[in-house]
Amino acid sequence: MIVGVGIDVVDVARFVATLHRVPALRERLFTPEEREMPETSLAARFAAKEAIAKALGAPPGMSWQDATVRRVAGAQPEVEVVGTVLARAQALGVTRFHLSISHDAGIASAMVVAERG
């Protein structure tokens, strides 16, 4: 059963400019595993985290660090949630996230389906 759907788009150039203007943002938004990725990948992961939050109803208090997006060779990306994001997912009965990420024409986009059962 679908609990929620989220989608987000990010202007990659604008996002990268913001990362350069506010270097602490990289640490605030991304897990240590994600921080070393290319900036275009970070833009896509930011879109994914926004989409995850939207699929969960975008409640206040969720930490960006509590969701990690992993690339899996030959498969769709995986979402790992802990802490505040896991707590919200459990409260809604979410047992699985389906994530699709795309990049084109300077835009990174992500779509998430939160599923129960």
Side-chain angles (χ1 to χ4, degrees), residues 14-75:
R14 186 171 152 217
F15 182 80
V16 169
T18 302
L19 282 180
H20 289 219
R21 191 175 68 252
V22 186
L25 199 56
R26 185 181 299 249
E27 190 169 311
R28 182 174 156 235
L29 297 177
F30 302 105
T31 64
E33 176 183 337
E34 295 168 321
R35 288 181 203 143
E36 301 307 315
M37 294 180 168
E39 292 169 335
T40 55
S41 294
L42 292 179
R45 271 147 185 81
F46 179 72
K49 290 178 184 218
E50 282 279 343
I52 291 164
K54 290 173 182 176
L56 295 175
M62 287 197 313
S63 170
W64 296 102
Q65 296 268 338
D66 288 348
T68 302
V69 177
R70 290 196 176 88
R71 185 174 171 186
V72 179

Side-chain angles (χ1 to χ4, degrees), residues 63-108:
S63 170
W64 296 102
Q65 296 268 338
D66 288 348
T68 302
V69 177
R70 290 196 176 88
R71 185 174 171 186
V72 179
Q76 72 184 71
E78 291 181 349
V79 175
E80 178 187 347
V81 296
V82 298
T84 59
V85 180
L86 177 60
R88 177 63 177 177
Q90 288 175 333
L92 295 173
V94 173
T95 56
R96 184 167 182 205
F97 291 97
H98 303 272
L99 169 63
S100 181
I101 299 174
S102 185
H103 306 77
D104 190 36
I107 299 293

Side-chain angles (χ1 to χ4, degrees), residues 102-117:
S102 185
H103 306 77
D104 190 36
I107 299 293
S109 62
M111 191 267 202
V112 170
V113 174
E115 180 182 17
R116 177 182 323 157

